[in-house]
């Protein structure tokens, strides 16, 4: 048991000149005739909130799926803390410090909120079939610790009233917070959020921006944020990368990207079918 | 956002669950006393039937771990039941090994067999996995009859084994002793299952069942957990098979046809998929309902059984588990009503 703690991981402030936490290097992936990703490259430094924007079908989710190793790129490399992740299977990604949420909610639908979050601790804890079936001492202690931290996360995300409810009974906004808590349970260094504002009401979206910044501050997490909600992305991102048809069309500060002619064209959809 | 400390929450949590735990303990103790007393007041044949019911309950529990908690389907667990039964019979008949040791041996052999079968079967999704396991069940009786193996399996005739006496000169019959022996095994197997389902491993199993992609993203090794679960499920069924051989005193290929796999599956569904105590209800159903159907009409027993099964599925679509939940909900409503009324009076 290594990092079962709410304290953030590395407290040492990284200097901007240091190697990037995440390096996406010329990543390409096609599905049959569709070029979903066409040589994407960008870097993200520790502590940054990076907004990834682009119209529907631009390839944002596909890139996330490459980062969590659900997909394997046809070309290019993805490096996390300087090491390639392409040699790792998908189930090792949480353990090396990359957690994610899903655009279309991927909760464990027959389980309650508490259990969903407890699954999030899988990558940072240890046990096996035998120790769990026989309920050996170490397992019990570890489970108590998991419970304790899970409750802290439940409080952190205001889920206490719903903690014992089956997740499918909950409104979308609450379910999104459950997914966030589950992702945080693994104590990630890099948090991938795929359209966290999708399906939220106006009030919830406003709150979400603060929450993401709060999480970064409290837990020293680097956030890669896919979002359609422009005002949200532009208000909290340190850097923005824009994709269109699998290609990177702009990269820079929120102000730069917002005023980029290619980005404006992509969003106005002048040349889209 | 932070309101109370998590410790306060944990305390409240503990109080509530310790109360529920008290009740559960009382119910368990009452049930245990009942189960211990039952064979002393019953005829030997009924004791024998109850023992078989417990054997089936262990097998159904094993199937439930696979299907109810891990989302994998098997129409072939009768094959592991057969392997367990033959392991016990051969070890006792040829190895002269005490029946007690044949139980863990059968469990281990079935675990390995299940794990090895589950490994390639992992690549198959839902219905295809069911088909692959179906093939296993269909092949099993023929493998058991296979002449090069006859020396061990006894071929078509099978193997007859002797019923063990009660140890330490206990003044109880062989049937009563086997009942208690099975009861102890059953309690252990259920305790392990309860531990497992509530543990980190159990959560991983359920996560795979509910959403394999998300489970992978949580760091769960799908192939490892799925093949291990297949192995553990086969272990349970193998232990049940070994017990059945000892209790019935006889193994033969035709006791382990495809029908057995289907019967276990029926027991699982009737008891309630994903609910551990459901195994008892399922076991009682598959043991007693066929007799009951035969009592109604000897010639149409199969049809009566089928109709009862269909009715049951209509009445309680999620098995005994669903029915019990419904009753408890009703009970809770009534209790709340009473509490509300008496509260108003005060
Ligand atoms: N598994 C897949 N099989 C085939 N095509 C896919 C698959 N995943 C994504 N795509 C395609 O890749 C493109 C990018 O999709 P996606 O990454 O979901 O876009 P975004 O998240 O930016 O809206 C789309 O044209 C989509 O249809
Ligand atoms: Mg998307």
């Amino acid at each position: 048991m290594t990092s079962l703690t709410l304290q953030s991981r590395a407290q040492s402030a990284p200097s901007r000149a240091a190697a990037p936490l995440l390096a996406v290097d010329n990543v390409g992936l096609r599905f049959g005739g569709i070029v979903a990703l066409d040589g994407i490259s960008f870097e993200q430094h520790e502590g940054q909130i990076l907004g990834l924007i682009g119209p529907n079908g631009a390839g944002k989710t596909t890139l996330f799926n490459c980062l969590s190793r659900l997909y394997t790129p046809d070309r290019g490399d993805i490096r996390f803390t300087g090491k390639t992740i392409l040699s790792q299977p998908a189930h090792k990604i949480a353990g090396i410090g990359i957690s994610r949420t899903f655009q279309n909610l991927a909760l464990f639908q027959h389980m309650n909120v508490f259990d969903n979050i407890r699954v999030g601790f899988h990558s940072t804890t240890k046990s096996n079939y035998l120790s769990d079936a026989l309920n050996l001492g170490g397992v019990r202690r570890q489970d108590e610790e998991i419970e304790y931290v899970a409750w802290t996360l439940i409080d952190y995300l205001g889920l206490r009233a719903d903690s014992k409810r089956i997740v499918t009974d909950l409104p979308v906004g609450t379910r999104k917070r459950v997914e966030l808590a589950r992702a945080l349970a693994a104590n990630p260094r890099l948090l991938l959020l795929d359209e966290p504002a999708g399906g939220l009401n106006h009030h919830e979206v406003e709150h979400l921006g603060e929450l993401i910044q709060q999480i970064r501050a409290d837990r020293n997490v680097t956030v890669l944020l896919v979002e359609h909600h422009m005002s949200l992305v532009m208000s909290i991102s340190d850097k923005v990368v824009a994709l269109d048809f699998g290609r990177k069309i702009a990269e820079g500060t929120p102000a730069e990207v917002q005023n980029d002619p290619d980005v404006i064209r992509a969003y106005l959809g002048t040349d889209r079918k | 956002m932070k309101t109370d400390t998590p410790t306060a929450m944990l305390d409240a949590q503990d109080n509530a669950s310790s109360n529920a735990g008290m009740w559960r303990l009382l119910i368990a103790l009452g049930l245990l006393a009942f189960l211990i007393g039952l064979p002393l007041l019953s005829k030997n044949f009924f004791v024998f039937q109850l023992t078989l019911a417990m054997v089936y309950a262990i097998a159904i529990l094993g199937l439930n771990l696979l299907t109810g908690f891990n989302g994998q389907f098997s129409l072939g667990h009768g094959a592991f039941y057969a392997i367990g039964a033959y392991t016990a019979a051969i070890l006792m008949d040829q190895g002269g090994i005490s029946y007690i040791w044949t139980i863990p041996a059968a469990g281990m052999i079935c675990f390995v067999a299940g794990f090895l079968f589950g490994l390639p079967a992992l690549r198959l999704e839902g219905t295809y996995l069911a088909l692959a396991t179906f093939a296993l069940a269909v092949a099993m009786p023929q493998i058991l009859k296979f002449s090069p193996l006859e020396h061990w399996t006894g071929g078509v005739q099978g193997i007859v084994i002797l019923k063990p006496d009660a140890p330490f000169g206990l003044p109880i019959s062989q049937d009563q002793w086997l009942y208690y022996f099975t009861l102890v095994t059953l309690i252990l197997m259920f305790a392990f299952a309860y531990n497992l389902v509530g543990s980190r491993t159990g959560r991983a199993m359920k996560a795979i069942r509910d959403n394999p992609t998300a489970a992978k993203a949580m760091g769960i090794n799908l192939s490892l957990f799925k093949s291990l679960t297949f192995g553990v499920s086969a272990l349970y069924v193998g232990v049940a098979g070994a017990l059945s051989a000892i209790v019935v005193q006889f193994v033969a290929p035709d006791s382990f046809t495809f029908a057995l796999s289907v019967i276990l599956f029926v027991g699982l569904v009737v008891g309630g998929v994903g609910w551990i105590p459901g195994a008892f209800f399922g076991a009682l159903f598959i043991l007693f309902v066929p007799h009951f159907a035969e009592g109604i009409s000897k010639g149409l027993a199969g049809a009566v059984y089928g109709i009862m099964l269909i009715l049951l599925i209509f009445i309680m679509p999620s098995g005994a588990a669903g029915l019990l939940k419904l009753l408890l909900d009703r009970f809770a409503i009534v209790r709340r009503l009473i509490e509300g009324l008496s509260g108003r009076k005060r």
Side-chain angles (χ1 to χ4, degrees):
Chain A
M1 225 165 54
T2 46
S3 47
L4 244 191
T5 153
L6 260 193
Q7 256 52 68
S8 43
R9 273 168 190 273
Q11 285 294 354
S12 58
S15 68
R16 277 294 133 88
L21 180 67
L22 175 71
V24 175
D25 183 3
N26 197 29
V27 165
L29 178 59
R30 48 196 313 156
F31 297 105
I34 301 166
V35 182
L37 295 174
D38 192 3
I40 304 285
S41 299
F42 64 87
E43 292 183 345
Q44 183 175 15
H45 285 274
E46 184 126 41
Q48 269 186 335
I49 296 179
L50 193 154
L52 189 61
I53 62 167
N56 268 328
K60 306 178 296 292
T61 299
T62 305
L63 182 66
F64 265 29
N65 286 341
C66 291
L67 291 172
S68 41
R69 294 292 293 112
L70 298 174
Y71 295 165
T72 300
D74 301 331
R75 64 189 162 100
D77 195 10
I78 298 168
R79 285 181 299 274
F80 182 70
T81 64
K83 291 186 285 280
T84 183
I85 63 164
L86 296 184
S87 54
Q88 303 278 357
H91 68 262
K92 291 275 172 70
I93 296 302
I96 64 176
I98 303 177
S99 290
R100 71 172 290 180
T101 65
F102 293 82
Q103 182 177 347
N104 298 314
L105 287 169
L107 287 170
F108 306 119
Q109 70 263 23
H110 299 296
M111 297 161 77
N112 65 25
V113 170
F114 183 56
D115 280 348
N116 263 275
I117 295 171
R118 284 202 290 172
V119 175
F121 291 93
H122 189 89
S123 64
T124 57
T125 48
K126 268 200 165 65
S127 73
N128 59 50
Y129 250 99
L130 203 62
S131 65
D132 278 341
L134 304 182
N135 200 4
L136 301 174
V139 165
R140 219 170 308 150
R141 230 172 299 125
Q142 177 176 267
D143 243 27
E144 279 164 17
E145 218 165 321
I146 290 175
E147 267 182 43
Y148 180 85
V149 185
W151 281 113
T152 323
L153 277 171
I154 283 171
D155 281 346
Y156 189 72
L157 288 163
L159 290 165
R160 180 188 303 193
D162 297 316
S163 61
K164 290 294 157 104
R165 294 182 64 187
I166 302 295
V167 287
T168 41
D169 295 343
L170 300 169
V172 174
T174 313
R175 280 193 256 174
K176 291 237 160 185
R177 271 182 290 140
V178 177
E179 259 209 6
L180 189 54
R182 187 181 68 176
L184 289 176
N187 202 19
R189 264 177 98 167
L190 176 64
L191 180 61
L192 312 176
L193 302 177
D194 198 349
E195 304 204 13
L200 300 194
N201 62 35
H202 178 72
H203 174 75
E204 286 172 320
V205 173
E206 232 166 58
H207 181 66
L208 180 66
E210 292 161 27
L211 179 61
I212 293 172
Q213 287 177 310
Q214 186 75 46
I215 287 170
R216 167 172 65 174
D218 289 347
R219 306 173 56 95
N220 204 30
V221 181
T222 307
V223 180
L224 180 52
L225 170 71
V226 163
E227 195 39 78
H228 270 310
H229 211 280
M230 274 314 143
S231 63
L232 173 65
V233 180
M234 296 305 170
S235 64
I236 66 170
S237 300
D238 301 304
K239 174 177 168 179
V240 175
V241 170
L243 305 185
D244 192 24
F245 291 116
R247 268 195 302 271
K248 183 173 84 177
I249 55 170
E251 173 173 358
T253 63
E256 285 165 0
V257 172
Q258 220 164 358
N259 296 315
D260 188 288
D262 284 336
V263 174
I264 293 169
R265 204 172 309 126
Y267 269 93
L268 290 178
T270 46
D271 55 354
R272 291 178 84 86
K273 281 145 260 165
Chain B
M1 218 178 304
K2 284 178 196 172
T3 37
D4 279 69
T5 61
T7 342
M9 188 64 229
L10 273 182
D11 288 346
Q13 185 61 24
D14 276 354
N15 277 336
S17 65
S18 74
N19 223 337
M22 262 287 274
W23 273 111
R24 223 172 286 161
L25 190 71
L26 278 177
I27 292 172
L29 283 178
L31 197 68
L32 190 65
F34 174 73
L35 287 174
I36 289 174
L38 198 57
L40 302 175
L41 307 167
S42 309
K43 293 218 167 66
N44 266 340
F45 183 66
F46 187 61
V47 174
F48 166 79
Q49 280 187 315
L50 287 176
T51 309
L52 262 190
M54 292 193 287
V55 169
Y56 281 139
I58 294 173
I60 293 169
L61 176 61
L63 198 55
N64 206 353
L65 288 175
L66 183 77
T67 305
F69 294 94
N70 199 217
Q72 302 189 75
F73 286 90
S74 171
L75 284 175
H77 265 44
F80 298 113
Y81 196 88
I83 295 174
Y86 268 85
T87 303
I90 293 170
L91 284 179
M92 287 169 73
D93 182 54
Q94 316 238 329
I97 288 167
S98 159
Y99 64 98
I100 296 174
W101 296 111
T102 67
I103 307 294
M108 280 325 294
I109 285 174
C110 285
F111 171 77
V112 173
F115 181 78
L116 292 179
F117 184 85
L119 217 46
L122 278 173
R123 305 191 173 281
L124 306 173
E125 289 297 324
T127 40
Y128 292 97
L129 178 62
L131 267 187
T133 55
F134 166 72
L136 185 69
V138 169
M140 191 47 72
Q142 266 154 34
I143 295 170
L144 295 173
K145 286 176 195 165
F146 193 45
S147 51
L149 298 177
E150 222 165 73
H151 173 66
W152 291 285
T153 60
V156 188
Q157 261 98 54
I159 306 167
V160 176
I161 45 189
L162 294 175
K163 229 175 221 185
D165 286 321
F168 323 119
L170 286 175
I172 53 177
S173 71
Q174 289 171 324
D175 283 325
Q176 283 169 331
W177 164 242
L178 277 179
Y179 173 96
Y180 290 122
F181 181 69
T182 307
L183 180 62
V184 170
T185 313
L186 173 102
I187 289 171
L188 283 175
M189 298 306 271
F190 270 75
F192 293 154
Y194 264 112
N195 286 341
L196 200 60
V197 164
S199 73
R200 173 177 175 273
T201 297
R203 289 190 293 272
M205 286 162 60
K206 289 179 269 184
I208 293 170
R209 172 198 68 191
D210 283 1
N211 195 321
T213 307
K216 226 186 276 177
M218 296 303 119
I220 295 166
N221 184 342
L222 258 62
S223 34
L224 183 73
F225 277 93
K226 283 174 89 170
S227 46
L228 279 175
T229 303
F230 212 101
V232 167
S233 163
L235 182 153
Y236 271 75
V237 176
V239 165
L243 283 169
S244 85
I246 298 164
V247 172
V248 181
Q249 295 175 269
F250 177 57
V251 293
D254 291 330
S255 320
F256 307 107
T257 60
F258 172 59
L260 175 63
S261 297
V262 175
I263 287 170
L264 292 178
F265 192 77
V266 167
L268 170 68
V269 175
V270 167
V273 180
W275 187 55
I276 287 185
F280 291 105
F281 297 95
L284 292 175
F285 182 90
I286 62 178
L287 192 69
F288 290 110
V289 171
H291 288 289
F292 183 72
E294 223 163 276
I296 289 179
S297 159
K298 261 230 146 35
L300 287 173
V304 173
Y305 181 80
I307 289 167
M308 289 181 65
L309 193 58
I310 290 170
L311 279 180
L312 204 79
I313 287 165
F314 270 107
I315 297 167
M316 33 189 229
S318 25
L323 187 69
L324 203 71
K325 192 178 171 307
L326 196 77
L327 292 175
L328 283 176
D329 285 352
R330 289 269 158 84
F331 180 69
I333 289 170
V334 171
R335 202 175 52 187
R336 238 174 286 139
L337 260 175
I338 294 170
E339 275 170 7
L341 287 176
S342 58
R344 219 169 295 149
K345 266 183 204 154
R346 250 183 278 133

